[in-house]
Amino acid sequence: MWTTDESCEEAIQGAWCPSNLTDGIENLRHNLQGEWVDNPTDLHYLIHEHFKEIYSSSESRDFTSVLDVITPVMNETMSLHLESPVLQSEIEKAVKNMGANKAPVFNEGVMPSSLNMTLVVLLPKIPAPENCMVIANEAFHYIRTKKKGEQRHIALKLDHNKAFDHVEWDFLMATCQKLGFGETWCKLVMACVASYEMEFMINGESIGLIKPSRVIRQGDSMSPIP
């Protein structure tokens, strides 16, 4: 594995050298009260609770109507072939043809938590993100106070939520089953999904772990589900 190579540690340390990073997050605006939070303890708590809420499963839902329109794509023969034990020759072929930064499959049905751990480092995207809010407020003020002229203006505030952050695991499991995938295969998929853990860091400090109860991991070339 490339992670055991001596040059790997040097590459990681160089990439995360403080001089290569932007300034840290000094304060955040609370969504509810609209107040700026700058105390490190309160800042850590605010961020931790924000992501904890995002990745926590919602109340019980009835998605029967959605499952009713799904047509099975797997038959029993296909399912048995998919769940057949992985041969040594198949493993060797897969590993040799696998990309250098991809993760191999597993066959035991148990995903080690250390393999599915993600370190999330929070960094400001721009030097002064509060300037964006000032510009937005000025734009809305102009629209509200414009009384004259034939030209009209309209503003749309769009909330772009990442769809895969809100995928409920019970729905994913039910969908796989409705598509016709066997119980063993569904358990392998859920072993990858449900073993996911995240550790958040801000300004070089860890603010704790989050064990999600919903979310589909994406964008990580080392993910068990590349």
Side-chain angles (χ1 to χ4, degrees):
M1 292 287 290
W2 64 270
T3 53
T4 60
D5 192 280
E6 294 181 358
S7 59
C8 175
E9 182 177 357
E10 296 178 2
I12 294 176
Q13 290 180 346
W16 290 105
C17 177
S19 60
N20 294 333
L21 302 178
T22 60
D23 294 335
I25 300 176
E26 298 179 353
N27 50 48
L28 288 173
R29 191 170 186 178
H30 200 288
N31 287 335
L32 298 179
Q33 286 79 18
E35 301 174 352
W36 286 96
V37 177
D38 53 14
N39 179 276
T41 301
D42 296 337
L43 193 62
H44 292 181
Y45 177 80
L46 179 63
I47 295 174
H48 187 275
E49 292 303 304
H50 170 73
F51 285 102
K52 182 179 179 180
E53 180 180 358
I54 291 178
Y55 298 125
S56 295
S57 180
S58 58
E59 300 293 332
S60 58
R61 303 155 312 283
D62 181 12
F63 38 76
T64 306
S65 58
V66 178
L67 297 177
D68 287 342
V69 300
I70 296 179
T71 303
V73 296
M74 300 287 292
N75 55 42
E76 185 176 358
T77 301
M78 296 167 63
S79 181
L80 290 175
H81 178 72
L82 190 62
E83 296 177 356
S84 61
V86 180
L87 303 177
Q88 181 68 26
S89 57
E90 293 175 326
I91 296 176
E92 293 177 356
K93 182 179 179 180
V95 171
K96 291 179 180 179
N97 294 324
M98 186 172 56
N101 59 350
K102 297 296 182 180
V105 297
F106 65 105
N107 195 38
E108 295 81 7
V110 178
M111 174 65 70
S113 58
S114 59
L115 183 61
N116 217 0
M117 168 71 74
T118 295
L119 180 63
V120 181
V121 180
L122 302 177
L123 298 170
K125 294 182 179 179
I126 57 177
E130 64 274 9
N131 290 342
C132 297
M133 299 178 61
V134 174
I135 295 173
N137 288 333
E138 289 295 326
F140 277 105
H141 176 72
Y142 169 78
I143 294 173
R144 286 195 300 265
T145 58
K146 187 178 187 300
K147 304 297 183 181
K148 299 180 179 181
E150 297 181 357
Q151 190 175 11
R152 298 292 184 266
H153 300 279
I154 185 174
L156 297 178
K157 181 179 180 299
L158 305 179
D159 185 9
H160 294 281
N161 288 321
K162 295 181 179 179
F164 51 82
D165 283 346
H166 298 272
V167 175
E168 300 284 351
W169 292 346
D170 56 348
F171 175 74
L172 176 62
M173 182 69 167
T175 301
C176 289
Q177 292 173 334
K178 183 62 186 291
L179 288 171
F181 290 96
E183 194 70 20
T184 300
W185 179 258
C186 290
K187 288 181 178 179
L188 288 174
V189 171
M190 295 309 300
C192 293
V193 173
S195 60
Y196 184 29
E197 292 183 349
M198 293 179 286
E199 179 179 2
F200 286 84
M201 293 194 68
I202 174 176
N203 302 335
E205 298 182 37
S206 172
I207 61 176
L209 290 172
I210 291 180
K211 175 67 175 176
S213 53
R214 71 176 180 186
V215 67
I216 295 295
R217 184 181 184 187
Q218 289 196 2
D220 184 355
S221 58
M222 289 298 291
S223 172
I225 312 178

